[in-house]
Amino acid sequence: RRHLTTMAAAAPDSEWLQQDSRRMLHAVYRVGDMQKHIDFYTKLLGMKLLRQRDIPQDKYSNAFLGYGPEETNFAIELTYNYGVDSYDIGEGFGHFGVALPDVYAAADKIKAGGGTITREAGPVKGGSTVIAFARDPTGYMWELIQRKQTQEPLCQVMLRVGDLQRSIDYFTKVMGMKLLRTRDVPEYKYTLAFLGYGPEEDNCVLELTYNYGKTEYAKGNAYAQVALSTKDVYKTAEQIRAAGGAISREPGPVPGIGTKIVATIDPDGYKWVFVDEEDFNKELE
Ligand code: GSH
């Protein structure tokens, strides 16, 4: 078990971090059957299908789903690669969180619609918040979390990490997130850390789970990355390097699309892609 020693070491010290405005845009993952997912998210989770695109020359298509417009809200970007009908989910990705005013009713609706509830609605073990877990057509877990209505129902991306302090340092110093809160649950041997670019009430945040003693997780190939916005991918690349982070894709335009991006890999091997804010907004027009 690792203790959190320097929990408040969150002050980002780079000048660029203070000028930049960042936001979590969407989580990308690969699915074997696009229509099944679209049906599950729209009919049983209440999301909207926001946009779709087909890139035949590269043999894939995308669908974006969420609870509000991408200009302001977080989204799920599904990728279907022609002819690939299944993926290995791995064990590192935990769940997406959805905040709903009545989790009991939401779980009933999912069951009535033929969806799978793997954990019935009720207070979380070791706490009081009412939760339930649903499994989507690929096997990804969706945590339904009872909360009063918010601007951003798509409220969490949960990833399992092997060293919580190492991750907190990375997401605060390299990614420029704020540490919002931590929660240690000794009776079930895990610790959580919530990080993000704004308060949990109206922003999707990153939830990191550390299970006592577990230092590595199999990644699989279904979950891909989270995309984040930045005002300048070149300055962000410099800032990431100066903070000791690893650049896995140099800053610059994506061939064919023109949107400027830069990618980094976190200490557990998860990928994070910064997207130029202006280029992203043009994609939405
Ligand atoms: N070992 C768990 C994992 O890696 O997923 C630790 C995280 C955890 O237990 N999270 C809570 C949970 O799933 C939600 S914050 N509780 C199960 C329950 O209440 O049934």
Side-chain angles (χ1 to χ4, degrees):
R1 149 138 201 231
R2 242 190 95 93
H3 292 270
L4 292 175
T5 44
T6 51
M7 214 109 88
D13 44 15
S14 144
E15 210 179 300
W16 175 240
L17 272 188
Q18 281 156 37
Q19 287 169 39
D20 200 11
S21 70
R22 297 180 178 178
R23 183 168 76 84
M24 282 174 49
L25 300 175
H26 49 252
V28 184
Y29 69 92
R30 305 176 186 99
V31 299
D33 185 331
M34 195 71 113
Q35 196 54 49
K36 262 196 203 165
H37 279 267
I38 292 174
D39 288 347
F40 186 85
Y41 300 151
T42 56
K43 293 182 183 146
L44 301 184
L45 290 178
M47 289 187 203
K48 293 182 189 84
L49 177 59
L50 302 165
R51 58 179 165 127
Q52 280 180 285
R53 65 183 171 205
D54 189 30
I55 324 280
Q57 60 273 30
D58 293 323
K59 298 190 169 58
Y60 74 92
S61 54
N62 291 131
F64 293 78
L65 296 112
Y67 291 94
E70 284 179 81
E71 285 83 353
T72 50
N73 285 66
F74 192 69
I76 299 294
E77 177 183 345
L78 304 176
T79 300
Y80 170 72
N81 289 298
Y82 295 3
V84 185
D85 60 14
S86 74
Y87 290 93
D88 170 18
I89 288 207
E91 53 174 16
F93 180 88
H95 62 253
F96 294 110
V98 180
L100 297 162
D102 186 346
V103 164
Y104 293 93
D108 283 346
K109 184 178 162 186
I110 290 169
K111 282 188 274 185
T116 308
I117 294 294
T118 60
R119 192 271 195 206
E120 295 294 333
V124 60
K125 288 177 191 155
S128 60
T129 305
V130 171
I131 64 161
F133 277 99
R135 193 169 57 214
D136 78 14
T138 292
Y140 275 126
M141 301 308 290
W142 289 76
E143 183 176 1
L144 314 177
I145 305 163
Q146 191 150 306
R147 279 189 196 164
K148 64 176 188 333
Q149 205 158 355
T150 74
Q151 284 288 95
E152 183 51 279
L154 199 43
C155 64
Q156 293 173 351
V157 175
M158 191 277 252
L159 299 175
R160 300 192 177 94
V161 298
D163 180 333
L164 198 53
Q165 190 57 56
R166 178 181 72 183
S167 294
I168 290 172
D169 287 346
Y170 180 86
F171 287 103
T172 55
K173 292 175 186 145
V174 178
M175 303 291 287
M177 291 184 184
K178 285 188 185 70
L179 177 59
L180 303 167
R181 64 184 166 107
T182 61
R183 193 163 102 91
D184 187 31
V185 189
E187 55 281 43
Y188 294 101
K189 298 191 168 51
Y190 70 89
T191 312
L192 306 177
F194 296 82
L195 298 112
Y197 296 109
E200 279 181 77
E201 293 74 54
D202 41 36
N203 287 275
C204 185
V205 302
L206 171 62
E207 176 184 11
L208 301 177
T209 297
Y210 170 69
N211 287 299
Y212 296 1
K214 185 137 168 85
T215 57
E216 263 178 75
Y217 292 92
K219 296 264 151 18
N221 60 3
Y223 173 73
Q225 69 218 29
V226 165
L228 318 108
S229 66
T230 175
K231 287 198 221 156
D232 189 320
V233 295
Y234 301 95
K235 286 183 185 164
T236 289
E238 258 175 56
Q239 172 265 315
I240 289 171
R241 279 209 179 87
I247 300 291
S248 60
R249 196 270 192 203
E250 291 298 326
V254 177
I257 303 176
T259 299
K260 294 182 282 302
I261 64 165
V262 61
T264 175
I265 303 281
D266 76 19
D268 289 274
Y270 300 111
K271 190 170 157 190
W272 300 81
V273 179
F274 284 96
V275 181
D276 180 273
E277 189 182 79
E278 242 177 81
D279 292 350
F280 178 73
N281 287 330
K282 270 186 218 140
E283 272 188 45
L284 297 181
E285 278 166 12

